[in-house]
Amino acid sequence: ILIGGGMIFTFYKALGYGIGSSLVEEDMVELADSLMKKAEEKGVKMLLPVDVVVADKFSNDADTAIADVKDISGDWMGLDIGPETLKQFKDEIDECQTIVWNGPMGVFEMSNFAEGTNAVAQMLADATERGAITIVGGGDSVAAVNQAGLGPKVSHISTGGGASLELLEGKTLPGVAALSEAS
């Protein structure tokens, strides 16, 4: 499991790292801690970014720097994953035969913070070309892969958003249930 995007700072907060003024879901810190422990207990590899692109404000023209995730301080905020993280994520994706992607790696709507998301989109396109099954789900992920011009180069794009994740969880979807009952 590769984790990127704004949710990483909730995991870092659970780990006790300083996160500057980065986005954090305070009510999810305990859950993040629990998920990391559960993954470790079950032998599931969960990778968090090791570096991030930080900015001094939420703006495409902000001053930026690359920071180790343990060194985010002051008013700086993380807005994309960093270059070392991209190398690690690529190494993992290169080994996968099935990849499900939900959620951008950064604020891809701003060009200065789109590199992580665009790079992961390219990694999925490359994986598809070598024969992997690649599934992109969720509105932001679909928008990001299409913005990168790579939509046609992945195996499947789910426009179901969160419903695609619920299906993977094994939940019964209301529309499918209604169709099943009608038949």
Side-chain angles (χ1 to χ4, degrees):
I1 299 174
L2 310 180
I3 300 179
M7 74 168 56
I8 62 176
F9 302 104
T10 302
F11 284 88
Y12 295 145
K13 180 112 183 202
L15 290 167
Y17 299 172
I19 58 167
S21 63
S22 303
L23 178 71
V24 65
E25 292 181 83
E26 295 288 350
D27 61 329
M28 295 291 173
V29 172
E30 192 173 305
L31 175 62
D33 185 55
S34 167
L35 290 172
M36 288 185 288
K37 288 176 180 166
K38 186 181 275 188
E40 186 175 353
E41 289 168 9
K42 294 186 176 276
V44 174
K45 191 174 190 179
M46 181 184 283
L47 289 181
L48 288 162
V50 294
D51 62 343
V52 291
V53 178
V54 293
D56 64 348
K57 60 184 175 181
F58 190 79
S59 172
N60 200 43
D61 65 353
D63 289 331
T64 63
I66 305 296
D68 181 283
V69 296
K70 295 178 184 175
D71 296 328
I72 304 169
S73 62
D75 291 333
W76 290 87
M77 64 184 75
L79 296 180
D80 198 4
I81 59 175
E84 288 303 314
T85 297
L86 283 172
K87 290 176 190 171
Q88 289 184 2
F89 282 15
K90 181 177 184 334
D91 289 345
E92 293 298 324
I93 290 170
D94 284 350
E95 298 297 316
C96 294
Q97 293 305 310
T98 303
I99 303 150
V100 178
W101 182 25
N102 181 277
M105 298 293 110
V107 186
F108 74 95
E109 300 90 345
M110 291 188 232
S111 60
N112 288 333
F113 308 107
E115 186 173 340
T117 298
N118 291 340
V120 169
Q122 185 62 59
M123 290 174 206
L124 265 65
D126 294 344
T128 305
E129 188 174 315
R130 68 169 164 72
I133 296 169
T134 55
I135 302 164
V136 178
D140 285 343
S141 304
V142 172
V145 77
N146 285 330
Q147 180 178 302
L150 297 169
K153 296 187 176 191
V154 297
S155 304
H156 179 73
I157 292 181
S158 170
T159 56
S164 60
L165 293 178
E166 289 183 9
L167 182 64
L168 289 172
E169 287 178 51
K171 293 182 179 177
T172 302
L173 304 179
V176 174
L179 290 172
S180 297
E181 290 170 11
S183 59

